[in-house]
Amino acid sequence: MNLTRYFMLKAPMDDRFGPADIPAVWNLAKYKAETGQLPNYAGDTHDVHSVMIDSALGVLGAPPADKADFHAQVKWLQDYLSALPPPVYPFPVDAARAAAGKRVFDAECAACHASPRTGTRIPLAEVGTDPGRLETWDKASAIKGNQVVAAMGITRKGLVEEDLPGYKIPFLDGIWLRAPYLHNGAVPTLRDLLEPVERRPRVFWRGYDVYDPQRVGFVTDGDEARRVGTRMDVAEKGSGNRGHEFGTGLPAADKDALVEYLKTL
């Protein structure tokens, strides 16, 4: 959201720093504004259409030269991404272990990730993840953002004019390809996410494209990962790997089965 604050709102640079990975952009039709399932990490925007518009304007930092063409471009891209299915896991899946993992998922995860709560906000105090991304945006910024876009002559539902209480509970479609995990990419694999914070990697290398089908994520250490990737240190501002300690007390066999099931989503 700093891009929008600095480029579109012309806000002075400050010490707010909330790095966040680009979220998955497939199957955008799953976001249902009427039931509170909002896009962006904190549900900062009322609907997908507004996100598409604001993402473009936030990068452009200026009104579009041709508003009709701009809206047409937004529409085709939104239509395409709304219908785009999540990618299918390309490696073998142990069907029996995945079936066992589904039972673990239903007992431990479904209440948040496969329920009406999915896509809605979870209070920061409940999930406990790094607050940096949440702190980069506020009610005053949303109000100003809506004013700037309206002055451009562009109509959309727009930004939510509230101070937001927490992050959105993500949908898990295509979760196998969305490593590293948490909004800031501070946990390298799904298997690591099922460990208590003190057992999660504290330093690793992001950006190497060799996949690890056992831990479900990308290879994040070794000579090639270090040569190609970018060093991630969870002690740095905005990069904390704490929180989301759900399922961390499960037996190892249940964790492995759960990860196998998550490959199928």
Side-chain angles (χ1 to χ4, degrees), residues 98-242:
K102 185 179 187 309
R103 292 191 290 273
V104 177
F105 178 87
D106 289 344
E108 300 289 336
C109 313
C112 282
H113 290 291
S115 75
R117 199 179 183 194
T118 312
T120 68
R121 299 184 197 98
I122 182 172
L124 185 62
E126 185 177 346
V127 69
T129 47
D130 191 292
R133 162 61 179 78
L134 198 63
E135 293 168 352
T136 61
W137 195 247
D138 54 27
K139 180 179 179 179
S141 298
I143 291 171
K144 186 172 182 181
N146 287 334
Q147 292 170 343
V148 168
V149 176
M152 294 179 183
I154 294 173
T155 302
R156 87 278 192 257
K157 288 185 178 178
L159 296 153
V160 177
E161 296 182 355
E162 302 172 14
D163 289 318
L164 305 175
Y167 295 113
K168 184 188 64 182
I169 299 170
F171 292 91
L172 300 186
D173 50 330
I175 191 65
W176 67 270
L177 191 55
R178 286 154 59 181
Y181 296 98
L182 300 183
H183 69 273
N184 56 0
V187 180
T189 70
L190 284 177
R191 191 62 178 77
D192 291 318
L193 189 59
L194 291 172
E195 296 299 331
V197 172
E198 62 271 14
R199 298 221 302 264
R200 297 173 183 172
R202 296 192 58 77
V203 175
F204 57 95
W205 279 260
R206 297 184 40 158
Y208 188 39
D209 63 359
V210 175
Y211 197 75
D212 181 347
Q214 277 70 50
R215 301 192 69 78
V216 185
F218 295 93
V219 174
T220 56
D221 204 355
D223 291 343
E224 279 300 294
R226 293 183 182 216
R227 182 182 69 82
V228 173
T230 300
R231 187 177 187 269
M232 176 78 174
D233 185 339
V234 303
E236 294 179 353
K237 184 175 181 178
S239 299
N241 67 346
R242 63 188 180 276

